[in-house]
């Protein structure tokens, strides 16, 4: 009997291909078919890459026919955020600035997903240069939230999240500088993970804030995210990213360990986070549901304090723009990027190329960064932000002396409508729960906790672990998923957004 490919997890697709239940070519065809059927309403992609996908699928099928052992994610379709280089694709960062930029090589994170057997179906939409929380700042088109297409998917990795939530791919990659994996995962009802800074190589990912950026996966189940994490860290530290560290590929095993319960585990909660202004009651109830599930699995819930964390957003909007200003200086139409025609001198060339190549938010961030790094101003803001960073990091370290992980909201509210938040400062607040982790460097995971009673939209909780203890995140998130997915096969709390489930993409 024909079934839609979106009923399968990444783990099930790889197992089905290895067992000969279906071929990688069939899965690839189903994924491209699902994309064709769903993409007009979702618009998650900037570029779909059928040839790259079909070639990769053919290689998997040939390897299987030759009796070779298949890699762990053989035949699993994956979407790649468009700030990651992949040979044979453009890497536009959703900017006019890089409209014609062809990837000169493949980013390490992408190469590792391909080495694990994934088939690349396309490059996903994002906020321009990853500045944003809605994906509405893409220079090309907005992306729609599959749970309600009048709403945003979050950002900046909104295309990567929407592609997974709409069932077009089981896995995707995003990047997270202040919340860009975790906030869209929360708004789209899927799992998203930002590992500890340094766990995944940034080589080949267009830099935004070099001390904050980290790559991570999206999936519909914790197990799938764990499998992607194993793929991303396999091969050890990357000599091309000096901050990259050796991490054991023990994530899938850690997700499975949730079955043993959480006796002896201490989970911290920050009372101030649960009472914060702007947190909607339905999100708070969702996080409380997650806490109850962890307690039911045997964990002890205790209160912890992060006294300086209120300074995180302010510190981030100094450090982030300062680093972005430095990183984006190369896009001047001379070294890289859009080149304004007809200019007769270099200064005009650079000024006009930048004026016409960048959108509003990218300009706002760079002007802010330029100002913050100017003499006189630098001491007042940049040093203060670095001091706040030290204090926030110390807060987390002190909390982790008492608890194994911290449970908190991922976002203050459910997905908002396109255009609903027009004030940039208001938009920045949508990352009030995610930013402090990038400041401190710790890893975080977002897991769906069901639909909100008031909006009917996906709700989520976030877990944070000590630096380089990211495997705990998947164990505890898997425990939440198991506890909440009763009657749903234990597989996924929400699954594919109902309007898109089964729409095209039949596996024949
Ligand atoms: N929304 C935050 C910002 O606009 C975070 C973006 C990100 O993580 N790339 O800076």
């Amino acid at each position: 009997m024909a079934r839609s490919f979106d009923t399968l997890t990444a783990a099930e697709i790889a197992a089905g291909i290895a067992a000969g239940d279906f071929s990688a070519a069939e899965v690839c065809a189903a994924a491209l078919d699902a994309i064709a059927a769903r993409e007009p309403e979702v618009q998650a992609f900037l570029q779909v890459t059928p040839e790259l996908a079909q070639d990769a699928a053919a290689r998997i099928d040939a390897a299987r026919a030759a009796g070779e052992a298949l890699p762990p994610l053989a035949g699993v379709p994956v979407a790649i955020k468009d700030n990651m280089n992949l040979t044979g694709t453009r890497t536009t960062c959703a900017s006019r600035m890089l409209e014609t930029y062809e990837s000169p090589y493949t980013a390490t994170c992408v190469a590792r997903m391909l080495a694990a057997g994934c088939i690349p179906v396309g490059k996903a939409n994002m906020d321009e240069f990853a500045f944003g929380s809605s994906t509405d700042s893409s220079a090309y088109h907005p992306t729609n939230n599959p749970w309600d297409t009048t709403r945003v998917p979050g950002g900046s990795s909104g295309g990567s999240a929407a592609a997974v939530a709409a069932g077009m791919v089981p896995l995707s990659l995003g990047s997270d500088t202040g919340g860009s994996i975790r906030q869209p995962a929360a708004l789209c009802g899927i799992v998203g993970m930002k590992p500890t800074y340094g766990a995944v190589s940034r080589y080949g990912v267009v830099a935004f804030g070099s001390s904050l950026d980290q790559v991570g996966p999206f999936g519909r189940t914790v197990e799938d995210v764990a499998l992607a994490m194993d793929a991303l860290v396999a091969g050890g530290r990357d000599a091309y990213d000096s901050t990259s560290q050796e991490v054991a590929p023990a994530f899938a095993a850690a997700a499975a360990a949730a079955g043993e319960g959480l006796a002896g585990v201490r989970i911290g909660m920050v009372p101030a986070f649960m009472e914060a202004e702007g947190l909607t009651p339905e999100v708070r109830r969702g996080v409380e549901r997650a806490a109850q599930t962890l307690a039911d699995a045997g964990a002890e819930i205790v209160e912890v304090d992060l006294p300086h964390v209120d300074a995180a957003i302010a510190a981030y909007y100094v450090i982030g723009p300062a680093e972005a200003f430095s990183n984006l200086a190369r896009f001047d139409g001379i070294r890289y990027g859009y080149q304004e025609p007809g200019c007769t001198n270099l200064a005009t060339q650079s000024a006009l190329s930048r004026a016409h190549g960048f959108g509003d938010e990218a300009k706002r961030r760079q002007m802010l960064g330029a100002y913050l790094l100017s003499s006189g101003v630098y001491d007042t803001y940049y040093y203060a932000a670095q001091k706040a960073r030290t204090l926030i990091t110390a807060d987390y370290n002190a909390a982790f002396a008492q608890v194994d992980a911290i449970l908190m909201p991922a976002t203050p509210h459910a997905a908002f409508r396109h255009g609903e938040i027009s004030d940039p400062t208001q938009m920045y607040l949508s990352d009030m729960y995610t930013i402090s982790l990038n400041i401190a460097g710790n890893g975080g995971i977002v897991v769906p906790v069901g639909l909100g009673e008031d909006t009917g939209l996906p709700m989520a909780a976030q877990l944070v672990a000590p630096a380089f203890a990211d495997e705990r995140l998947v164990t505890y998130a898997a425990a939440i998923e198991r506890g909440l997915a009763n009657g749903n096969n234990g597989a996924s709390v929400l699954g594919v957004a109902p309007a898109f489930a089964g729409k095209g993409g039949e596996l024949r």
Side-chain angles (χ1 to χ4, degrees):
M1 205 188 79
R3 58 176 165 177
S4 176
F5 114 108
D6 68 24
T7 59
L8 300 173
T9 64
E12 288 165 342
I13 289 171
I17 289 172
D21 296 343
F22 35 78
S23 67
E26 286 170 313
V27 171
C28 179
L32 293 172
D33 186 34
I35 291 171
R38 306 173 197 198
E39 189 57 357
E41 286 164 86
V42 182
Q43 300 192 69
F45 288 93
L46 290 173
Q47 191 184 356
V48 180
T49 54
E51 281 159 27
L52 292 181
Q54 283 152 356
D55 286 354
R59 281 196 297 277
I60 301 287
D61 288 332
R64 186 172 184 279
E68 290 168 27
L70 295 182
L73 292 172
V76 175
V78 67
I80 306 295
K81 187 175 182 178
D82 205 34
N83 61 351
M84 300 172 183
N85 283 286
L86 165 60
T87 304
T89 68
R90 290 180 299 281
T91 296
T92 70
C93 293
S95 181
R96 292 283 169 216
M97 184 54 93
L98 291 176
E99 189 161 11
T100 59
Y101 184 71
E102 297 288 338
S103 308
Y105 61 94
T106 297
T108 301
C109 58
V110 179
R112 288 185 174 181
M113 295 303 283
L114 303 186
C118 284
I119 58 179
V121 299
K123 302 294 286 294
N125 199 16
M126 55 188 282
D127 281 301
E128 185 177 13
F129 281 102
F131 303 128
S133 309
S134 66
T135 309
D136 283 352
S137 80
S138 166
Y140 300 98
H141 54 73
T143 292
N144 299 321
N145 189 313
W147 288 85
D148 174 349
T149 53
T150 68
R151 293 176 190 269
V152 305
S156 67
S157 313
S160 301
V164 170
M168 297 193 273
V169 284
L171 282 181
S172 62
L173 289 186
S175 63
D176 188 312
T177 306
S180 280
I181 294 173
R182 291 162 292 148
Q183 187 256 14
L187 269 41
C188 288
I190 60 173
V191 183
M193 177 159 167
K194 179 197 95 74
T196 302
Y197 181 80
V200 178
S201 166
R202 296 170 295 122
Y203 179 68
V205 182
V206 178
F208 161 177
S210 300
S211 77
L212 304 159
D213 297 343
Q214 188 55 196
V215 170
F218 291 97
R220 288 190 298 272
T221 66
V222 176
E223 183 190 22
D224 282 0
V225 162
L227 287 165
M229 278 304 302
D230 281 341
L232 289 168
V233 302
R237 91 171 278 274
D238 179 13
Y240 292 119
D241 175 356
S242 62
T243 64
S244 123
Q245 308 265 327
E246 179 90 34
V247 172
F251 289 93
E260 294 157 26
L262 301 184
V265 171
R266 287 165 66 87
I267 303 284
M269 289 184 74
V270 184
F273 281 173
M274 299 299 281
E275 289 142 24
E277 194 189 330
L279 179 67
T280 61
E282 58 174 358
V283 174
R284 194 184 62 236
R285 284 194 294 268
V287 178
E288 284 163 355
R289 230 167 18 247
Q292 187 56 49
T293 308
L294 292 169
D296 292 345
E300 187 189 346
I301 310 288
V302 301
E303 286 187 3
V304 291
D305 191 17
L306 298 169
H308 301 96
V309 89
D310 280 354
I313 293 191
Y316 174 85
Y317 278 100
V318 174
I319 297 168
E323 294 185 4
F325 169 64
S326 308
N327 278 323
L328 272 61
R330 74 194 71 176
F331 303 109
D332 55 8
I334 297 162
R335 287 169 294 177
Y336 287 97
Y338 167 78
Q339 194 168 67
E340 182 79 8
C343 296
T344 52
N345 67 64
L346 284 179
T348 318
Q349 174 84 74
S350 166
L352 289 180
S353 299
R354 289 169 70 77
H356 298 150
F358 286 125
D360 288 349
E361 187 62 25
K363 285 179 192 162
R364 189 175 295 121
R365 299 290 174 110
Q366 291 180 82
M367 286 192 280
L368 187 55
Y371 172 72
L372 290 164
L373 291 178
S374 57
S375 77
V377 177
Y378 182 90
D379 293 355
T380 316
Y381 294 102
Y382 190 75
Y383 283 152
Q386 295 296 359
K387 283 182 192 160
R389 187 171 200 174
T390 303
L391 292 170
I392 292 163
T393 309
D395 282 356
Y396 272 107
N397 291 341
F400 288 127
Q402 304 167 53
V403 294
D404 299 294
I406 301 174
L407 176 72
M408 59 175 79
T411 58
H413 44 61
F416 45 94
R417 292 206 157 78
H418 290 291
E420 186 177 331
I421 304 184
S422 53
D423 172 24
T425 321
Q426 212 46 43
M427 187 72 88
Y428 300 168
L429 287 177
S430 97
D431 299 306
M432 60 191 262
Y433 292 112
T434 50
I435 274 175
S436 66
L437 276 70
N438 303 77
I439 292 288
N442 299 61
I445 195 166
V446 163
V447 61
V449 296
L451 298 177
E453 301 85 352
D454 300 330
T455 59
L457 293 165
M459 298 288 119
Q462 178 176 218
L463 285 158
V464 187
F468 293 105
D470 295 336
E471 66 291 342
R472 279 183 209 169
L473 296 172
V474 298
T475 306
Y476 307 159
I480 293 175
E481 183 178 69
R482 279 168 184 254
L484 294 175
N486 292 331
N488 193 14
N489 256 344
S492 162
V493 179
L494 288 175
V496 174
F500 295 94
K503 190 168 179 177
E506 272 186 7
L507 260 181
R508 281 168 283 268

